[in-house]
Amino acid sequence: GQQVMQIPQYQHVQEGEDFTTYCNSSTTLSNIQWYKQRPGGHPVFLIQLVKSGEVKKQKRLTFQFGEAKKNSSLHITATQTTDVGTYFCAGPRNNAGNMLTFGGGTRLMVKP
Amino acid sequence: DADVTQTPRNRITKTGKRIMLECSQTKGHDRMYWYRQDPGLGLQLIYYSFDVKDINKGEISDGYSVSRQAQAKFSLSLESAIPNQTALYFCATSGLTGEGSYNEQFFGPGTRLTVL
């Protein structure tokens, strides 16, 4: 079945350092979504990418969708303590509507 | 998201007990989902419903059942709880966008369930 994998599972950074999490799908995706879950919180939608090679930015966050639409990345420039949390990517389950398959998440910890 | 509520927020129960987790939403969405979250395993889909009376199994439905009593309510039941069902449970909703597609999912605050 469809698998969505994320690396790394954990990442410790010093405040001000950059951070990147990578997402890889076993199948081609029609789109990919990214969610953030703060410690003790629930997943909150960040963004959706649809086009091959698409790049979108939200302040210090840069999201990229691969040319083959099987991988994606989230890059945070100059991390802050407010960036702490787990970042999940999610792709449509077998490209069926918006049934989502979530990656295992990357937990980001930022040392002040 | 305050538009999606879950009760209870925390529950400790014993093996063999029947447990019901409730989810309500005021977003007017037709699609609702139940997920289970275990550390390092992301979110696994238990059941989903596209409308009242529509129930579909997700990837880990064994040991669980659901009921979609109304468009705004979707409840999850553990018929006979066992310790490996100890996890964080999330309800989520999604609705049609202006372009006629379903995009983001909105999650409730979660229920932390411990089965002893």
Side-chain angles (χ1 to χ4, degrees):
Chain A
Q2 180 188 51
Q3 291 187 330
V4 176
M5 293 150 286
Q6 271 184 265
I7 55 170
Q9 191 173 358
Y10 303 95
Q11 183 81 59
H12 286 86
V13 299
Q14 196 71 42
E15 188 173 22
E17 292 181 340
D18 292 357
F19 159 78
T20 305
T21 173
Y22 300 91
C23 179
N24 292 286
S25 170
S26 59
T27 59
T28 301
L29 301 171
S30 58
N31 65 76
I32 194 155
Q33 298 180 15
W34 284 91
Y35 290 78
K36 177 183 179 181
Q37 183 178 18
R38 294 182 185 275
H42 57 276
V44 175
F45 175 81
L46 292 176
I47 207 162
Q48 176 174 277
L49 304 173
V50 178
K51 299 176 183 176
S52 170
E54 187 171 14
V55 178
K56 286 188 176 180
K57 293 190 176 185
Q58 290 179 350
K59 297 183 180 178
R60 293 178 295 104
L61 278 61
T62 301
F63 303 85
Q64 188 167 8
F65 201 9
E67 293 290 340
K69 301 182 78 172
K70 293 181 72 173
N71 62 289
S72 182
S73 64
L74 158 59
H75 179 83
I76 302 179
T77 303
T79 55
Q80 299 176 359
T81 55
T82 53
D83 295 325
V84 164
T86 301
Y87 293 85
F88 294 98
C89 63
R93 188 177 294 271
N94 297 320
N95 289 320
N98 82 327
M99 301 303 303
L100 298 175
T101 297
F102 282 82
T106 296
R107 183 180 172 190
L108 172 64
M109 288 154 281
V110 180
K111 290 177 275 189
Chain B
D1 196 322
D3 297 324
V4 184
T5 58
Q6 292 183 234
T7 56
R9 294 294 311 279
N10 289 282
R11 181 71 184 269
I12 300 174
T13 191
K14 294 182 178 180
T15 297
K17 294 291 187 181
R18 185 178 187 273
I19 298 297
M20 180 179 286
L21 309 183
E22 309 266 10
C23 177
S24 293
Q25 53 116 346
T26 59
K27 300 187 77 67
H29 288 168
D30 52 351
R31 297 188 174 187
M32 298 186 74
Y33 312 82
W34 275 105
Y35 290 93
R36 167 179 171 154
Q37 184 175 39
D38 297 280
L41 292 181
L43 294 153
Q44 296 175 280
L45 183 64
I46 306 173
Y47 271 97
Y48 61 99
S49 168
F50 285 173
D51 205 343
V52 177
K53 297 182 183 177
D54 176 70
I55 301 293
N56 304 280
K57 291 184 178 181
E59 55 191 324
I60 56 163
S61 58
D62 287 349
Y64 302 94
S65 63
V66 291
S67 173
R68 185 83 184 268
Q69 307 94 321
Q71 189 189 43
K73 295 184 183 297
F74 192 35
S75 59
L76 175 72
S77 294
L78 286 67
E79 300 302 323
S80 180
I82 55 177
N84 76 1
Q85 291 178 311
T86 293
L88 187 54
Y89 291 86
F90 287 105
C91 172
T93 74
S94 65
L96 272 173
T97 67
E99 293 97 29
S101 63
Y102 289 84
N103 293 329
E104 64 188 285
Q105 293 188 9
F106 295 84
F107 286 80
T111 295
R112 186 167 296 279
L113 177 66
T114 302
V115 183
L116 302 176

